[in-house]
Amino acid sequence: MREITAKQTAAELGSYLGTWNDAVAAEHEDSPEFFRRFAAMADVPRRRAALSPVDQALIGVAVVANTANTNWPRFDAYVRTALERGATRGQVRDVLQLVSIMSIHVMTVGVPALRRVLEERGHAVGHESDERRARLRAEFERRRGYWHETWDDMLALDPEMFEAYTHFSTVVAEHGSLDTRLRELIYIAIDCVVTHLYVPGVEIHARNALDAGATPDQILGAMEIAVLTGADPYFEAIQRPTGLPAAERPGG
């Protein structure tokens, strides 16, 4: 593991947090080892350098501004970093629009569960291959470039939402500025967020990312950025008006 000094910790975490204010500095002085070790971990995707600085920052925006994990101080920090490193405001917008599709997993998780319950109750639930469903599947494959069994139940039971989602989910691909490789890396990162952990999505988009030219190290880099969200509540808590009084901690 890379060893870093207290000065390096302050500089690197200041960039990560978007600030190094009195509250953060005081907490660092009181708990330096946590800060030092977290800074070393946060430095891993930077040192791996498989992803460009802009890609890292835009993936960071996705990781902290989605329906499963929203942290506005970290969002501000990642946006500032992205713009400083050459991203456009349009690209930041595209990231936010892209991660808006994340809640479709309500359907890819919920509808199969509903199907199982319906079958338990004796309802006939088939995957009809009528003309409309065949057309909708073909359209999805054409516009999204893949098919996976996780869509089967939604297409069978709720073709109306499936069709609407197909159109919605392709807005950024058809009208935005993010390339296919980066879009797939963003999908991987948000599916790996600890409050989401949607394994089928990770597998689907890992395949798509590799097909789009991403390397295994780039995929790992996207995952590493998602790992860092675990400490966000702590860093935000120490900067709140109530603070985190040292005297109230074990051993304080």
Side-chain angles (χ1 to χ4, degrees):
M1 185 182 76
R2 176 190 174 221
E3 297 291 335
I4 60 176
T5 66
K7 184 176 181 180
Q8 289 171 321
T9 298
E12 294 183 11
L13 281 187
S15 174
Y16 173 82
L17 297 172
T19 185
W20 190 264
N21 54 36
D22 290 345
V24 176
E27 188 69 11
H28 174 233
E29 182 177 353
D30 200 44
S31 188
E33 194 61 19
F34 178 93
F35 278 68
R36 185 181 70 82
R37 296 187 190 191
F38 181 82
M41 191 168 72
D43 190 49
V44 170
R46 289 197 293 261
R47 285 190 295 111
R48 184 187 290 277
L51 295 166
S52 72
V54 171
D55 284 355
Q56 290 182 47
L58 290 175
I59 292 170
V61 170
V63 163
V64 299
N66 61 74
T67 189
N69 177 65
T70 306
N71 187 304
W72 294 122
R74 294 290 307 111
F75 168 79
D76 292 342
Y78 272 127
V79 169
R80 283 195 295 269
T81 299
L83 296 176
E84 288 169 0
R85 293 177 179 179
T88 66
R89 293 187 178 276
Q91 287 176 310
V92 174
R93 177 204 60 210
D94 290 344
V95 170
L96 295 173
Q97 291 184 351
L98 188 69
V99 301
S100 298
I101 73 172
M102 187 176 184
S103 59
I104 195 60
H105 297 153
V106 169
M107 304 299 287
T108 57
V109 172
V111 176
L114 172 61
R115 175 187 57 78
R116 290 190 292 272
V117 171
L118 292 175
E119 289 176 345
E120 289 172 3
R121 296 297 178 92
H123 295 275
V125 181
H127 289 175
E128 296 89 348
S129 298
D130 60 36
E131 182 178 346
R132 181 188 184 195
R133 287 175 174 82
R135 175 181 59 79
L136 291 177
R137 172 169 173 163
E139 182 180 12
F140 183 96
E141 291 176 322
R142 177 180 61 81
R143 298 177 75 169
R144 294 295 302 274
Y146 77 97
W147 183 261
H148 190 268
E149 62 185 10
T150 50
W151 299 111
D152 288 345
D153 289 322
M154 182 178 173
L155 176 59
L157 293 178
D158 197 348
E160 290 78 12
M161 178 57 79
F162 182 87
E163 181 174 23
Y165 170 74
T166 298
H167 289 281
F168 178 61
S169 68
T170 54
V171 171
V172 175
E174 295 171 355
H175 301 281
S177 58
L178 306 178
D179 62 45
T180 302
R181 178 195 57 89
L182 181 55
R183 292 198 308 271
E184 296 299 332
L185 292 172
I186 287 172
Y187 288 140
I188 292 166
I190 63 173
D191 281 343
C192 282
V193 167
V194 70
T195 48
H196 193 53
L197 296 178
Y198 187 66
V199 176
V202 176
E203 294 174 347
I204 290 167
H205 295 295
R207 294 186 190 100
N208 292 348
L210 292 169
D211 290 343
T215 67
D217 274 356
Q218 289 177 332
I219 294 172
L220 288 170
M223 292 178 177
E224 289 165 356
I225 293 168
V227 167
L228 303 176
T229 60
D232 284 354
Y234 170 58
F235 289 124
E236 188 172 1
I238 63 180
Q239 298 178 74
R240 294 182 68 81
T242 53
L244 189 63
E248 295 183 9
R249 291 200 214 97

